[in-house]
Amino acid sequence: MIGIIGVGDMGLPMSGHIVAAGFDVTAFDVDTDRLAEAESAGARPASTLSDLARDVDIAVACLRTDDQMESVAEELATVGRAGQLLVVAGTHSLDFMARLAGIVKRGNMRLIDAPVVFGAQGARDGNLLSLCGGDTEDVERARPVMMSYSRGVEHVGPLGAGQVAKTCNNLLHWIHCVANFEALAIAKRYGIDAQRMREVLMKCPGDNGTLRRWDNTRFTWQEKDMDFVIELAQKGDLVLPLSGHVDQLIKTLTAADVAALLYGPECTYLGRRVAPLAQSDGGL
């Protein structure tokens, strides 16, 4: 029996893919409407987290905050079974993962971190990528479950390594967001349609995955993601000036800014208007 804890934008479609792969799934969420949707997709709804904890061999947690995740781990460690495996699919810091390890150890449970990339669209498509940290036998035990919603499962190291890998990916994503915006701002300023330029760049060496998926970038977690980058840099005694600049710049961008850049007559960047130059001013 597989449990899924948190059936929001990510967990709900993930639960459906686990069911479709032939697993018996029990779902829990404090949002009863979401839980009803999970039931419609084939999962058995648990009335309480304790109800789920008593039934499942592997529990996949898709939770937004450290507080939510810690509360779940505490309850699982109290009422769950020895040997139960907790798969942390959310994004958390290394310090927090170490704290979770201490909690689940009290219940003789097992733990891996397996944050996912490719976002909500990847979850809907069952095409996420799971980046895993933990003991090899625990990752392999959970692999068939993770493969139901993932294009691949990458085991990159001990507990916490999945979170480091996710942070590395997120850093490149937000760097690309800033670089893409500045590159297309040049095109727009000189009278080239930015969306057309984007299409051309996707055929050039400057292509990147963020550019291809830019219409779906929601700019929801950039501050949290970059906080993790800066924290790792500081603790690792790394000097990463580009990361510092991106940490500040990405806070100024929104999905609406990208839409205006790509599809509008003009946009703004760092408070300045970006519109095509007149030919008399050097435009094309």
Side-chain angles (χ1 to χ4, degrees):
M1 178 73 74
I2 308 302
I4 187 153
I5 304 165
V7 285
D9 290 346
M10 299 294 291
L12 180 61
M14 288 164 65
S15 70
H17 293 303
I18 300 172
V19 169
F23 293 99
D24 292 326
V25 177
T26 298
F28 175 75
D29 199 294
V30 295
D31 186 325
T32 55
D33 290 338
R34 288 285 195 169
L35 195 57
E37 290 185 65
E39 183 179 15
S40 297
R44 183 185 78 85
S47 56
T48 66
L49 182 57
S50 295
D51 181 27
L52 177 146
R54 284 189 290 266
D55 289 343
V56 305
D57 301 309
I58 299 173
V60 180
C62 304
L63 301 169
R64 296 168 68 90
T65 70
D66 289 357
D67 287 345
Q68 291 170 339
M69 188 65 249
E70 185 168 4
S71 176
V72 163
E74 290 279 6
E75 186 152 0
L76 291 179
T78 301
V79 302
R81 300 195 308 272
Q84 197 170 56
L85 174 60
L86 177 58
V87 177
V88 178
T91 305
H92 304 277
S93 70
L94 284 182
D95 287 345
F96 182 76
M97 290 306 306
R99 188 156 78 247
L100 277 189
I103 293 171
V104 301
K105 187 176 181 180
R106 298 201 303 265
N108 293 313
M109 295 172 58
R110 307 297 299 173
L111 175 69
I112 64 172
D113 59 314
V116 293
V117 294
F118 291 110
Q121 186 62 51
R124 290 189 291 271
D125 295 341
N127 198 30
L128 297 167
L129 183 68
S130 294
L131 307 176
C132 301
D135 290 347
T136 299
E137 57 268 32
D138 294 328
V139 173
E140 292 307 309
R141 178 180 166 190
R143 183 182 291 273
V145 178
M146 293 186 288
M147 280 303 299
S148 70
Y149 55 78
S150 304
R151 67 181 70 184
V153 173
E154 299 292 338
H155 185 197
V156 292
L159 187 68
Q163 301 295 348
V164 175
K166 173 86 181 270
T167 299
C168 290
N169 171 79
N170 291 346
L171 172 59
L172 287 175
H173 171 62
W174 298 121
I175 286 173
H176 287 150
C177 274
V178 173
N180 292 342
F181 202 101
E182 294 191 0
L184 294 180
I186 292 173
K188 194 176 197 75
R189 188 64 164 155
Y190 282 90
I192 300 174
D193 180 80
Q195 172 59 12
R196 173 62 182 144
M197 189 72 250
R198 176 192 178 200
E199 294 168 354
V200 170
L201 288 172
M202 288 192 292
K203 302 175 183 178
C204 295
D207 183 24
N208 58 79
T210 297
L211 190 66
R212 291 181 171 269
R213 297 186 305 276
W214 223 7
D215 289 334
N216 297 318
T217 297
R218 295 188 295 174
F219 292 84
T220 304
W221 298 108
Q222 67 266 43
E223 291 196 35
K224 178 182 178 182
D225 292 345
M226 290 307 302
D227 283 347
F228 285 166
V229 170
I230 301 304
E231 179 181 323
L232 290 176
Q234 290 175 337
K235 289 187 175 181
D237 194 26
L238 295 169
V239 180
L240 304 178
L242 177 58
S243 297
H245 285 298
V246 171
D247 178 45
Q248 296 301 307
L249 290 169
I250 201 61
K251 294 173 182 176
T252 72
L253 289 179
T254 68
D257 293 325
V258 172
L261 171 67
L262 294 178
Y263 307 117
E266 63 181 57
C267 64
T268 60
Y269 184 56
L270 300 179
R272 301 191 64 174
R273 176 173 170 265
V274 180
L277 289 168
Q279 285 190 342
S280 60
D281 295 323
L284 299 178

